[in-house]
Amino acid sequence: MPRNETITELGLDEYKYGFVTEDKPVFKAVPGLSSDIVRQISHHKEEPDWMLEFRLKALEVYYSKPMPKWGGDLSKLEDTLDEIYFYLKPQDQMERSWDDVPQEIKDTFEKLGIPEAERKALAGVGAQYESEMVYHSLKEQWEEQGVIFESIEDGLARHPDLFRQYFSTVVPTHDNKFAALNSAVWSGGSFVYIPKGVKVEIPLQAYFRVNAERMGQFERTLIICEEGAEAHYIEGCTAPVYSTDSFHSGVIEIVVKKGARFRYTTIQNWSNNMYNLVTQRALVHEEAKMEWLDGNLGSKLTMKYPSCYLVGERAHGEILSIAYAGDGQHQDTGGKVIHAAPNTTSQITSKSISKGLGRSSYRGLCKVYDGAEGAKSNVECDALLLDETSRTDTYPYIEIDENTASIGHEATVSKVGDEQLFYLMSRGLDEAEAMAMIVRGFIEPVAKELPLEYAIELNRLIELEMEGSVG
Amino acid sequence: MSEPLLSIRGLRAKVDGEDGEILRGVDLDVQRGEVHALMGPNGSGKSTLAKVIAGHPAYEVTAGEILFEGEDVLELEPDERSRAGIFLAFQYPAEIPGVSIANFLRTAVNSRLGEGEEMDVFGFQRTLTEKMEMLRMDPGFAARYVNDGFSGGEKKRNEILQMAVLRPALGVLDETDSGLDIDALKVVASGVNRLSEADEALGVLLITHYKRILNYIRPDRVHVMMAGRIAESGGASLADKLEAEGYDWLHRAVAAV
Ligand SMILES: Nc1ncnc2c1ncn2[C@@H]1O[C@H](COP(=O)(O)OP(=O)(O)OP(=O)(O)O)[C@@H](O)[C@H]1O
Ligand SMILES: [Mg+2]
């Protein structure tokens, strides 16, 4: 069968994302969490005092907040948290060019099959390996334009005032338990600054990978898109398969100023034992436009709701998400839009696919504050079940305090139909191919928004996940 | 080479998991290059026969055999039957949102090639464009999602487009004429005739309620299905008789047996 042939040719077999590169960290903290660990992290990063204080305060907030009772099953998470490493630093220094990147790490990228989507655009890539940025290069023209795209650590060290002005302003420490945890132990991530009026044509890409067993990944990304600026940031990651539960809890903060446009694209494919609890939020000012494009595959439990806080008049927020829940996986995803200014508009489009004992939930919030006259929001969520055992549910929360607002919500659940399968098979496609084609068609409205290489990669990942789902 | 293209013997079938038989002993031979029309009242089992030939999993064959080019196909999956050369133009084609006709057909064409082989993109595009022109379809149609939001007539035309691209040895056309306007009927019929001219061995089993299409596609044989059996077979004139007299006389004849 041609499709299988292609997959073999490319070496995209099931275990592809499950290999381990021998890991040689320069510094590895002891497992578990304590204020000592937090001090060590801050010390190692040679941070200013205010950041150490910030971290320690965040740790207190983390301890004081109970585990969320909603979303997915977090009952085993506390045990996991006792065992993971909260910090890991594979290298002392940031790499300046691709030639300086150690062979072992290049091998990792090689095995990940990065060519299509990432390596090609390496000129503009910051890739995160373990907790730190190990590779970093910036197109000269961007530097000339004043664009900053570096590791979050460098952002803090080199642009302390700018950093401090925005850091934790979009996602405050006390926002939720995991935002507090991230604030205490964050490590790695990107710092991006797009100056006023600058339009960055090539997407800024970060590819990273969690590579040490039981290692927590607490990436932190801060993005500031100044007035009238435009940019697209892409982050994708794959994690290897491990037997113990692992944990990922990132915080992404984005400020989109007046008239600016920003798009943040993530494709995540975590190993099946990963808890993935991420806070992604954008503050969208007057006439600005923010788009989240979010693909979630793998993990044991993902809880992720990209948010747009529409704080300026005519601000627009868009959230497009695709989730794939295979056996033993729970994807609790969706989006939040907060309309806090007049004539703000938003669109949430969510597509989920569940298979076997997989479960996908759409969880969304649409809030319109009093005074946000003429706000318009539309939510569309479609779930596709691949078999009888998979499950999906929808939790739309709508809070409207403004009577001129108009809100639309549409939800559909469909099962891959026997008639559809038979139709495709009667044209020569085998059952797996037919199933994959129906799924590809289902996610097409979102996939077509992705750069081509990413759309191809997303389709391939989903096909890999689906292998063995039939016959 | 004397074996028939399609040979059905004593075929009995029912809906999987249910009791009542729908096909109750069907016998039918189609030789290479022949056109057979299959007529009969609503609910007599014509579509069921078509779907059983194509291997629909909803039906269970309880007795009899279906030989295609001398090979028993009952154990074959629908995709294997398709690749072997059996094509079914559906009475009610399924909708596949998000999948373009071009993409779908390219995948179907590639599924017929050996492992690792792929039809070159331009060659495929040329074939597709040519067949669409033959069926007077707007070129933009190739980018539309398979049957998604198609009108009844567009769906039928799309079925014949697929047959033209996939070039089967046997085409089972289930009421492809229903829902077509007079011009569309002519276009589709002449499309089928062109396929027959291009491949003289092409066998066609044409399920229809109306003599109209048989004016354009001349049948070698006409069969009438009544209550799960072929109750009567004859030449093209049988269709005229049915058009004029309906099925009453046959009902009476069947009841008398
Ligand atoms: N999947 C099914 N489940 C239940 N009943 C079925 C199924 N398929 C066919 N039948 C029944 O079998 C009988 C024959 O149906 P079939 O569709 O083959 O008729 P037909 O001759 O094609 O009719 P028409 O001329 O109306 O298209 C009908 O009574 C129909 O309801
Ligand atoms: Mg029928």
Side-chain angles (χ1 to χ4, degrees), chain B residues 101-179:
Chain B
I101 291 181
N103 178 359
F104 168 47
L105 271 175
R106 196 170 49 239
T107 312
V109 166
N110 286 333
S111 76
R112 284 159 163 71
L113 304 176
E115 287 221 1
E117 284 178 58
E118 259 187 39
M119 188 172 185
D120 94 277
V121 178
F122 298 105
F124 172 77
Q125 197 52 53
R126 249 195 325 273
T127 310
L128 184 60
T129 309
E130 183 191 306
K131 305 299 180 194
M132 289 179 74
E133 275 169 14
M134 175 181 91
L135 292 164
R136 309 246 178 99
M137 294 170 83
D138 186 285
F141 226 76
R144 291 209 28 202
Y145 297 154
V146 179
N147 295 321
D148 193 19
F150 285 19
S151 76
E154 285 168 342
K155 282 185 182 168
K156 297 301 171 75
R157 216 183 271 229
N158 182 34
E159 293 294 288
I160 299 306
L161 172 68
Q162 294 176 43
M163 177 169 160
V165 172
L166 297 177
R167 316 208 54 162
L170 172 71
V172 179
L173 312 187
D174 192 356
E175 294 199 27
T176 302
D177 55 335
S178 314

Side-chain angles (χ1 to χ4, degrees), chain B residues 15 18 22 40-48 58-59 91 175 209:
Chain B
V15 174
E18 283 177 30
I22 303 173
N42 293 134
S44 56
K46 303 181 297 296
S47 292
T48 302
Y59 302 97
Q91 183 174 6
E175 294 199 27
H209 286 293

Side-chain angles (χ1 to χ4, degrees), chain A residues 153-413:
Chain A
E153 284 81 4
D154 279 354
L156 173 57
R158 294 188 191 149
H159 315 279
D161 297 336
L162 190 61
F163 189 100
R164 199 170 177 175
Q165 188 186 344
Y166 293 100
F167 184 76
S168 194
T169 57
V170 185
V171 181
T173 301
H174 51 81
D175 188 82
N176 65 73
K177 189 168 178 74
F178 298 105
L181 178 60
N182 177 284
S183 299
V185 298
W186 65 263
S187 184
S190 299
F191 178 73
V192 177
Y193 179 81
I194 318 287
K196 190 169 172 178
V198 170
K199 296 184 172 47
V200 182
E201 310 280 340
I202 304 165
L204 303 154
Q205 310 190 39
Y207 203 99
F208 74 90
R209 169 181 168 78
V210 180
N211 194 51
E213 188 164 8
R214 292 180 304 164
M215 195 207 63
Q217 175 96 29
F218 298 95
E219 116 255 20
R220 181 104 193 183
T221 286
L222 175 60
I223 296 171
I224 301 125
C225 193
E226 287 285 3
E227 280 185 21
E230 283 179 26
H232 182 184
Y233 180 91
I234 303 185
E235 175 245 77
C237 46
T238 47
V241 178
Y242 283 115
S243 55
T244 46
D245 288 339
S246 222
F247 186 63
H248 173 250
S249 182
V251 168
I252 317 293
E253 301 182 90
I254 303 180
V255 180
V256 194
K257 298 274 190 76
K258 183 176 175 183
R261 289 164 162 260
F262 197 81
R263 175 182 270 204
Y264 188 100
T265 298
T266 331
I267 309 275
Q268 293 191 320
N269 180 33
W270 299 108
S271 59
N272 295 351
N273 46 24
M274 176 77 80
Y275 287 94
N276 183 30
L277 313 170
V278 182
T279 308
Q280 302 186 162
R281 188 175 301 160
L283 209 57
V284 192
H285 291 275
E286 195 179 330
E287 283 173 7
K289 181 177 178 185
M290 172 68 205
E291 291 170 287
W292 293 102
L293 222 152
D294 204 43
N296 295 295
L297 287 89
S299 85
K300 175 185 201 150
L301 170 64
T302 289
M303 288 170 64
K304 197 170 175 209
Y305 324 98
S307 321
C308 292
Y309 282 60
L310 307 171
V311 295
E313 201 161 336
R314 288 180 299 282
H316 178 73
E318 228 168 286
I319 300 155
L320 284 140
S321 79
I322 295 176
Y324 181 94
D327 258 339
Q329 299 174 356
H330 183 185
Q331 302 286 2
D332 198 276
T333 60
K336 297 185 197 170
V337 285
I338 315 294
H339 292 258
N343 300 310
T344 45
T345 51
S346 66
Q347 168 76 37
I348 299 179
T349 308
S350 156
K351 298 251 171 193
S352 73
I353 299 148
S354 316
K355 176 206 118 191
L357 298 174
R359 175 181 171 196
S360 63
S361 315
Y362 168 78
R363 193 178 300 276
L365 169 70
C366 173
K367 180 162 178 68
V368 181
Y369 280 97
D370 185 16
E373 288 156 21
K376 281 199 188 80
S377 176
N378 190 46
V379 177
E380 202 186 311
C381 51
D382 303 317
L384 183 69
L385 301 175
L386 297 192
D387 47 37
E388 304 290 342
T389 51
S390 50
R391 167 176 172 196
T392 182
D393 22 45
T394 310
Y395 305 95
Y397 300 91
I398 297 174
E399 296 167 19
I400 316 283
D401 301 324
E402 165 61 52
N403 52 23
T404 62
S406 98
I407 308 297
H409 178 94
E410 202 182 312
T412 67
V413 178

Side-chain angles (χ1 to χ4, degrees), chain B residues 63-231:
Chain B
E65 58 181 16
I66 301 178
L67 301 181
F68 176 68
E69 297 180 329
E71 306 279 341
D72 180 4
V73 296
L74 285 180
E75 292 306 315
L76 298 184
E77 293 293 320
D79 54 314
E80 295 170 312
R81 297 186 200 195
S82 165
R83 295 196 295 268
I86 295 174
F87 180 89
L88 169 60
F90 285 71
Q91 183 174 6
Y92 304 110
E95 299 179 3
I96 319 287
V99 177
S100 71
I101 291 181
N103 178 359
F104 168 47
L105 271 175
R106 196 170 49 239
T107 312
V109 166
N110 286 333
S111 76
R112 284 159 163 71
L113 304 176
E115 287 221 1
E117 284 178 58
E118 259 187 39
M119 188 172 185
D120 94 277
V121 178
F122 298 105
F124 172 77
Q125 197 52 53
R126 249 195 325 273
T127 310
L128 184 60
T129 309
E130 183 191 306
K131 305 299 180 194
M132 289 179 74
E133 275 169 14
M134 175 181 91
L135 292 164
R136 309 246 178 99
M137 294 170 83
D138 186 285
F141 226 76
R144 291 209 28 202
Y145 297 154
V146 179
N147 295 321
D148 193 19
F150 285 19
S151 76
E154 285 168 342
K155 282 185 182 168
K156 297 301 171 75
R157 216 183 271 229
N158 182 34
E159 293 294 288
I160 299 306
L161 172 68
Q162 294 176 43
M163 177 169 160
V165 172
L166 297 177
R167 316 208 54 162
L170 172 71
V172 179
L173 312 187
D174 192 356
E175 294 199 27
T176 302
D177 55 335
S178 314
L180 291 180
D181 65 46
I182 295 165
D183 292 339
L185 181 76
K186 283 186 194 163
V187 169
V188 165
S190 89
V192 174
N193 288 333
R194 295 263 291 272
L195 294 178
S196 298
E197 286 157 22
D199 173 10
E200 296 194 342
L202 175 68
V204 175
L205 180 61
L206 193 90
I207 299 171
T208 182
H209 286 293
Y210 309 104
K211 215 197 85 129
R212 202 176 55 152
I213 191 169
L214 303 179
N215 296 334
Y216 302 103
I217 305 176
R218 300 301 301 173
D220 297 290
R221 300 286 292 165
V222 176
H223 311 274
V224 185
M225 183 168 261
M226 305 280 288
R229 282 196 195 101
I230 306 285

